[in-house]
DNA sequence: AGCCTCATGTAAAAAGTTACATGATTGG
DNA sequence: CCAATCATGTAACTTTTTACATGAGGCT
């Protein structure tokens, strides 16, 4: 039910088309909320007919026209209401943990390769986050720059730090997993 | 699509009824795969009619009879096949991160209470994990006990260690979040 | 000519959530 | 007597996933 709200936040940060949103959901927002373009277009349509968002047809040269969505007053209200509701416990779907426990009834050693590959994915994601942090949250306009602190920036940064902490924790755990799997493989 | 496999793993670890599975999904397995009893009963029915699992009616005294499910050969094959497929990237749904970024367009200070409550939930979960670790993975039958190392135990333990690492990371991050929110609140 | 990116969708199937429903026994 | 636990389900609805579909323009 919160894809609506994830889209609203993204549109508040910057108005955009369904296509652009879909791309954002492959990067920044996508790291803590996944959605495909089919979902996005459907939700956009519903939110538009509910008056939560406004559309503006933007003609473009050299590429198809697009519909740029932005958040309307009703959408802001809906988001605000949602923000004031209790945080719900995350619903987890952790394939790898199931596979690890399942490996006891199959071949634990066979998982090693896959876990190594998986580890690489997370390593790349960490690098990506760290590069983003340097790009967006260091330098002249950061920290103690003149003027009021930008709440949006600070909040985006703390979410990014969460992503970084998550990836580091995951990498350390995957090393633990690999050591355990290798231990089981060499014990026989 | 992997609820099937999560149930198969749980039934391999110990056969049980739909009700018992539902309870397990509130505890151990539930920490990395959520499911309600409605889902579970439906999947059990399907897997039974597909010959993946066997049923045995167990009459009980003082309580309703139950159907005890156990994994059949076909189910084992299906699980094995799944285990050999590539690990899929987790699909994340992280309400709190969306709310934090959304707070930039509302009142960041209003989130503080909720994050504190949320932190408590994770703190309790960490305690619960740690107690489980002491109960199940220390003591006489642990580590260098005589006999072959029990692969199942080791693998369950490494998954639990993942849960512990996750909770610790989350608690540290939530402290970071709280500090950030408080900083924004006092800055005005 | 063929593939990639931009851009927007429809349709069907699978999975997940929420509400409703029943009934026995045990403990306070 | 009332609430909780054990035990199993049905029905309706919402959400998510997967597959299909189209079309223009730029790049090699």
């Amino acid at each position: 039910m919160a894809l609506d709200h994830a889209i609203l936040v993204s549109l508040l940060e910057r108005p955009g088309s369904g296509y652009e949103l879909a791309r954002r959901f492959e990067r920044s927002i996508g790291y803590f909320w996944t959605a495909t373009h089919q979902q996005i277009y459907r939700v956009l349509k519903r939110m538009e007919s509910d008056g939560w968002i406004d559309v503006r047809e933007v003609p473009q040269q050299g590429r198809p026209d697009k519909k740029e969505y932005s958040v309307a007053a009703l959408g802001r209200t809906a988001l605000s209401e949602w923000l004031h509701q209790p945080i719900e416990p995350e619903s987890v779907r952790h394939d790898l943990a199931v596979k690890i426990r399942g490996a006891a009834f199959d071949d634990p050693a066979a998982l090693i390769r896959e876990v190594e590959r998986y580890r690489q994915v997370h390593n790349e994601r960490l690098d990506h986050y760290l590069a983003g942090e340097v790009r967006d949250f260091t330098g002249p306009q950061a920290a103690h720059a003149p003027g009021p602190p930008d709440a949006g920036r600070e909040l985006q940064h703390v979410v990014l730090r969460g992503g970084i902490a998550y990836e580091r924790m995951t990498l350390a755990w995957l090393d633990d997993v690999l050591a355990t799997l290798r231990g089981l493989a060499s014990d026989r």
Side-chain angles (χ1 to χ4, degrees), chain A:
Chain A
M1 185 47 108
L3 173 56
D4 305 37
H5 306 106
I7 289 176
L8 287 174
V9 170
S10 192
L11 288 179
L12 280 168
E13 288 177 352
R14 183 196 306 259
S17 67
Y19 186 84
E20 281 161 356
L21 283 167
R23 304 219 56 217
R24 291 184 208 170
F25 275 88
E26 283 165 11
R27 335 177 91 257
S28 61
I29 314 214
Y31 297 130
F32 46 86
W33 203 280
T34 47
T36 59
H37 79 271
Q38 291 92 335
Q39 271 178 282
I40 291 165
Y41 282 119
R42 196 142 22 86
V43 171
L44 284 174
K45 191 163 277 186
R46 193 186 66 226
M47 291 202 295
E48 195 217 321
S49 78
D50 289 351
W52 287 21
I53 53 179
D54 296 319
V55 209
R56 192 169 63 93
E57 291 266 349
V58 179
Q60 297 185 113
Q61 289 114 319
R63 41 173 82 177
D65 298 352
K66 65 173 181 179
K67 299 182 187 172
E68 195 182 76
Y69 292 94
S70 52
V71 180
L74 272 176
R76 253 177 180 274
T77 311
L79 180 67
S80 180
E81 260 171 50
W82 177 72
L83 285 172
H84 289 273
Q85 281 176 332
I87 300 161
E88 281 173 55
E90 264 78 51
S91 69
V92 199
R93 305 267 137 108
H94 209 310
D95 264 78
L96 181 55
V98 179
K99 289 203 178 191
I100 290 170
R101 279 172 71 153
F105 308 96
D106 199 72
D107 178 17
L111 251 184
I112 294 176
R113 288 270 172 137
E114 264 304 300
V115 175
E116 283 170 343
R117 190 190 55 78
Y118 187 78
R119 189 190 185 284
Q120 234 177 353
V121 172
H122 279 279
N123 202 42
E124 278 158 26
R125 185 167 291 187
L126 174 60
D127 286 344
H128 180 73
Y129 284 171
L130 290 172
E133 190 179 32
V134 170
R135 184 184 0 94
D136 298 334
F137 300 107
T138 57
Q141 81 283 43
H144 300 289
D150 183 340
R153 270 177 66 80
E154 296 253 349
L155 292 170
Q156 283 185 35
H157 193 185
V158 80
V159 170
L160 178 59
R161 289 199 297 273
I164 290 168
Y166 177 79
E167 296 305 329
R168 287 193 166 131
M169 180 278 297
T170 299
L171 288 173
W173 177 62
L174 290 175
D175 287 338
D176 187 5
V177 170
L178 284 169
T180 304
L181 289 173
R182 290 189 183 119
L184 287 172
S186 67
D187 265 354
R188 56 199 59 235

